[in-house]
Amino acid sequence: MLDGLFVAHDSAADEREFRRFVHDIQGQAALGNRTLLLLTSQSHREGSPEHTMVDGGIEFLDEMCGMRAVRNLVVRKQRGGAFMRGRHQFRITENGLEVFPRLEALMNHKPTPSVTIDRVSTGITGFDKMIGGGYPAASATVLAGPSGSGKTTFGLQFLAQATPEAPGLLFGFYETPARLLTKARSIGIDIDGLIASGALEIIWQSPAENLPDELARRMLTAISRRGVKRVFLDGIGALRHAFLFPERLPLFVNALSAALHESGTTSVYSLEMPQLFMPERMAMDDLSQMVDNVVLVHYARRANHIANNMDRELLVLKIRDSGFDTFPEVFHIRDKGAQFGQGHTGGRRPDEAVSVGDGA
């Protein structure tokens, strides 16, 4: 390693002498069968000898993005070998330099073709009936709705079906493990037993100052380590805030879902929406196109002869390659979690037939 190539550049009489110097040390490295690493802190034009004569070129960038400082790495050149183009973020930690390749670039290959008719229970009997027996196995679902509408409850009931042989993972940002444990116990889930048996793991991280590709690595490593088959990512919004370029989010989620699909993992992502009631327009960018299933939970006003009530309601917008109930269903959250067909103040009666539509 030659640290300080700019000193040789500044000491050379002219460009020709500096070019000869670079050529000579390359020759010495080749004769000795050694790998030579040249470090410089100066930026030169693209035609400078250190760019054109060497076999590889790596640029490190330390940039301000708003109030955040972010380190990026760009491979400019790698003679005789393929490499991932573009910027990849990294950190300098107590373990040294850790690089996090962009997930969509890492997963940019033809996925393994696989078709399954298996279903994975949501943990909620009424919801399972609406979507033909549960989520399609190894599929990705966005569960969208306003704060308090029941998204985390749905996720916890989904994970409650995990076993030591087919474990689950809760990957969250906003609700701390202590709050999640309290919430799970309040709806009758033996979460302490699930964790103790190895059926469930909770990974929590602060929503501030995250690198999306680092989060993806952490999640995929945990999934691979334990052979996880159920994942609940509680808070896509935290991912959106982590991106310096928010337009990356749909492509990132698509790549993450592809990786989970290849591992046979069924995933559910919660997405916070500002509208309390049924929105006229779903402001989900291209995210809905990047996942297999989209489910909306929201509030609905019900007027009767006594008073105006507000219910929670669920609407299935998409179950890929599958039929599903297209009618919005009222549900309630009680001591056993989300339940359908009990205490309706509006919507379909519990004894009415379920209508089935075509999956998108």
Side-chain angles (χ1 to χ4, degrees):
M1 179 175 71
L2 175 59
D3 190 2
L5 185 63
F6 67 93
V7 176
H9 180 274
D10 293 344
S11 302
D14 53 28
E15 188 87 347
R16 180 178 299 177
E17 184 177 348
F18 180 59
R19 186 180 297 273
R20 186 182 303 114
F21 170 79
V22 174
H23 181 269
D24 287 346
I25 59 173
Q26 280 186 301
Q28 293 294 329
L31 287 172
N33 193 28
R34 292 178 174 85
T35 301
L36 178 63
L37 185 64
L38 306 176
L39 309 183
T40 181
S41 59
Q42 284 187 331
S43 298
H44 298 291
R45 69 181 193 280
E46 290 296 322
S48 293
E50 64 268 36
H51 295 303
T52 59
M53 297 177 65
V54 296
D55 301 299
I58 303 171
E59 182 178 6
F60 293 90
L61 305 170
D62 190 3
E63 302 172 299
M64 292 298 298
C65 301
M67 297 184 68
R68 292 181 61 183
V70 180
R71 290 185 168 103
N72 284 288
L73 176 152
V74 181
V75 180
R76 297 291 186 187
K77 178 182 180 181
Q78 185 64 41
R79 201 189 306 277
F83 61 91
M84 292 183 188
R85 297 177 62 83
R87 298 188 178 193
H88 307 277
Q89 294 176 336
F90 70 93
R91 291 188 190 274
I92 299 175
T93 71
E94 63 273 13
N95 297 317
L97 192 146
E98 295 184 60
V99 182
F100 309 104
R102 293 196 327 277
L103 186 64
E104 55 269 40
L106 199 62
M107 295 298 299
N108 187 23
H109 63 271
K110 188 176 181 180
T112 304
S114 61
V115 178
T116 178
I117 60 173
D118 294 338
R119 295 282 169 156
V120 176
S121 174
T122 67
I124 305 168
T125 302
F127 189 23
D128 282 349
K129 291 179 179 178
M130 291 179 66
I131 57 177
Y135 300 120
S139 67
T141 302
V142 164
L143 188 62
S147 177
S149 57
K151 300 184 296 299
T152 302
T153 297
F154 273 74
L156 288 170
Q157 291 185 254
F158 169 63
L159 292 176
Q161 310 306 305
T163 65
E165 296 73 30
L169 171 66
L170 196 159
F171 199 86
F173 298 92
Y174 296 112
E175 299 204 51
T176 63
R179 289 179 60 185
L180 288 167
L181 293 173
T182 301
K183 178 174 287 189
R185 296 183 192 116
S186 72
I187 56 176
I189 295 175
D190 181 18
I191 195 162
D192 302 276
L194 289 168
I195 294 172
S197 69
L200 179 64
E201 180 181 7
I202 297 176
I203 297 179
W204 178 87
Q205 49 279 308
S206 168
E209 297 289 331
N210 285 309
L211 302 180
D213 302 293
E214 181 182 16
L215 295 174
R217 177 187 292 184
R218 190 177 303 162
M219 177 189 290
L220 294 174
T221 299
I223 289 169
S224 176
R225 171 171 45 85
R226 300 176 57 248
V228 168
K229 296 304 175 186
R230 292 171 180 258
V231 168
F232 177 46
L233 193 160
D234 195 10
I236 282 187
L239 280 178
R240 186 188 299 276
H241 296 319
F243 284 106
L244 302 179
F245 303 97
E247 60 270 18
R248 268 192 68 196
L249 178 64
L251 297 175
F252 178 90
V253 170
N254 180 63
L256 180 61
S257 300
L260 295 175
H261 176 81
E262 288 192 6
S263 67
T265 305
T266 305
S267 54
V268 177
Y269 313 133
S270 71
L271 174 64
E272 188 88 3
M273 300 188 69
Q275 302 94 338
L276 285 178
F277 305 101
M278 174 69 78
E280 294 182 2
R281 181 176 179 273
M282 294 286 287
M284 296 178 64
D285 305 320
D286 297 322
L287 191 59
S288 61
Q289 302 174 34
M290 299 298 183
V291 294
D292 303 296
N293 320 308
V294 179
V295 177
L296 175 66
V297 287
H298 61 96
Y299 293 100
R301 290 192 180 95
R302 305 292 183 190
N304 57 33
H305 65 284
I306 299 176
N308 291 327
N309 297 319
M310 191 166 69
D311 289 330
R312 291 183 175 96
E313 201 171 66
L314 180 144
L315 177 64
V316 181
L317 299 180
K318 179 174 78 167
I319 301 291
R320 183 159 290 166
D321 302 323
S322 175
F324 58 90
D325 183 350
T326 60
F327 197 93
E329 293 282 353
V330 172
F331 68 93
H332 300 274
I333 297 178
R334 294 176 174 153
D335 57 357
K336 296 297 181 183
Q339 298 176 337
F340 289 80
Q342 300 183 25
H344 279 230
T345 57
R348 186 196 300 122
R349 298 189 309 275
D351 59 344
E352 278 191 61
V354 173
S355 62
V356 177
D358 294 327

